Amino acid sequence: MRISISALKLFKACRQAYRFKYIEGLEPVQKPDAMQSGLTYHSKIEDIYTNGYCSTEDNSKESAMALAYEKYIYPHFHVKAVEDWVEYDLGQGDTLIGRVDGRADDGHLVEHKTTSMNITDEYEYELQWDEQILAYMLATGDRKMWYTVIRRPTIRQKKNESDEDFFTRMCQWYDEDTDSKIRLIEITRTDEEVQEFLTSLLNTLGEIKIAIDFPQVKCYRNCLHCNHWGRRCEYSSICLNYEPDKEYIEFQKRERS
């Protein structure tokens, strides 16, 4: 079985959401705005490292974020490869897989993250315990990785303000209280912490196999996940009254891998 890092995280966060995505194979037809924004921003960061610049003609908030990255992160931190796949043999025919955003000049993995919150020391502390980090470290044997984090602009366009003027104001927004809006974070973990994660991962994998092999066993929802990261779960519209034989126009079905 090939299991992704994101699938493991979702199963632990909410088994009902895991069922919808990985067992029923339901994918939203339209991506949430925050997710689409993150994809656009990641693409612009890749352009900076690939071409030396990114297009900002759209005057979008993602372009303002990318210019802030170019101003405050890029001069001091370089990525030698964009997108990198990692795999780890878990034994018994199981493989952990994942995709990272890049690899830095020093050889360590890099992830680019966006947030709607201020980047505080508390935020940084919580980020460091994201199991995704331990999964990457398990897969690579490394014990250090980098995170770049940027806050999405929260200011709004004024009445009669042109798109160009609003874009300029978004770029200037990053020049005030910059440390709470964009940061480069170094994260390290010990061998013992990674080994503890592996033990937990194997236990979770066993539970996932039971959920797949015995679909009649109910997957319970975790209500704490309903508004995870400040946005509603993408399966909220079907969570309470899902009928497997019914077609839902807001979802498309893919083959289970």
Side-chain angles (χ1 to χ4, degrees):
M1 178 180 182
R2 290 172 66 82
I3 183 77
S4 70
I5 295 169
S6 57
L8 281 166
K9 286 185 61 179
L10 184 59
F11 184 83
K12 295 183 75 171
C14 179
R15 298 190 179 193
Q16 180 80 313
Y18 177 92
R19 172 199 174 195
F20 289 140
K21 185 168 186 176
Y22 293 103
I23 297 179
E24 299 292 340
L26 298 176
E27 291 282 0
V29 173
Q30 185 173 0
K31 294 184 182 298
D33 291 342
M35 184 179 297
Q36 187 59 56
S37 176
L39 292 172
T40 301
Y41 169 71
H42 277 69
S43 177
K44 289 180 180 293
I45 296 303
E46 289 182 10
D47 286 343
I48 290 175
Y49 283 109
T50 302
N51 307 317
Y53 68 95
C54 70
S55 173
T56 61
E57 294 179 357
D58 56 2
N59 293 317
S60 66
K61 64 180 180 181
E62 292 81 17
S63 290
M65 293 160 66
L67 284 183
Y69 183 101
E70 188 175 8
K71 182 176 182 179
Y72 291 105
I73 300 293
Y74 183 68
H76 314 290
F77 179 77
H78 293 279
V79 173
K80 66 179 181 180
V82 294
E83 287 201 1
D84 199 356
W85 284 89
V86 296
E87 293 191 5
Y88 182 79
D89 184 2
L90 296 169
Q92 299 184 344
D94 299 321
T95 304
L96 177 68
I97 60 173
R99 184 193 70 81
V100 293
D101 292 330
R103 193 176 290 271
D105 282 345
D106 61 6
H108 298 296
L109 298 181
V110 180
E111 277 285 288
H112 304 301
K113 190 175 182 65
T114 66
T115 178
S116 60
M117 302 178 288
N118 270 335
I119 308 169
T120 61
D121 291 342
E122 180 66 22
Y123 175 92
E124 185 172 330
Y125 175 82
E126 292 181 3
L127 174 64
Q128 292 195 37
W129 289 104
D130 188 338
E131 286 192 330
Q132 186 176 30
I133 294 169
L134 290 166
Y136 288 145
M137 291 182 175
L138 172 67
T140 62
D142 202 350
R143 296 297 177 262
K144 184 176 98 170
M145 70 177 296
W146 298 98
Y147 265 70
T148 72
V149 186
I150 188 166
R151 185 181 180 188
R152 296 186 289 275
T154 55
I155 56 175
R156 297 182 179 274
Q157 191 168 4
K158 298 177 181 178
K159 186 177 181 180
N160 299 325
E161 183 178 31
S162 69
D163 291 343
E164 292 79 7
D165 288 343
F166 179 50
F167 178 72
T168 299
R169 194 158 59 87
M170 283 193 293
C171 293
Q172 293 172 344
W173 180 77
Y174 284 103
D175 297 331
E176 300 176 5
D177 195 20
T178 304
D179 192 51
S180 70
K181 297 170 182 172
I182 185 165
R183 282 193 196 183
L184 173 65
I185 301 172
E186 176 185 334
I187 298 177
T188 59
R189 284 288 165 265
T190 66
D191 290 338
E192 291 76 15
E193 288 166 340
V194 175
Q195 186 59 44
E196 287 178 4
F197 168 75
L198 174 58
T199 300
S200 173
L201 184 157
L202 292 174
N203 289 335
T204 302
L205 184 59
E207 295 175 3
I208 289 176
K209 289 180 177 180
I210 292 174
I212 293 174
D213 293 340
F214 300 95
Q216 69 273 19
V217 177
K218 186 174 179 60
C219 288
Y220 291 95
R221 70 181 61 85
N222 174 16
C223 295
L224 294 177
H225 185 72
C226 293
N227 290 291
H228 190 54
W229 295 114
R231 63 175 181 265
R232 187 181 295 274
C233 173
E234 56 193 354
Y235 298 106
S236 60
S237 64
I238 60 173
C239 188
L240 295 177
N241 54 3
Y242 177 68
E243 299 177 28
D245 297 329
K246 183 178 178 180
E247 291 189 8
Y248 295 87
I249 60 173
E250 65 266 43
F251 296 96
Q252 56 188 1
K253 204 156 191 175
R254 59 171 173 76
E255 293 294 327
R256 195 180 77 196
S257 58

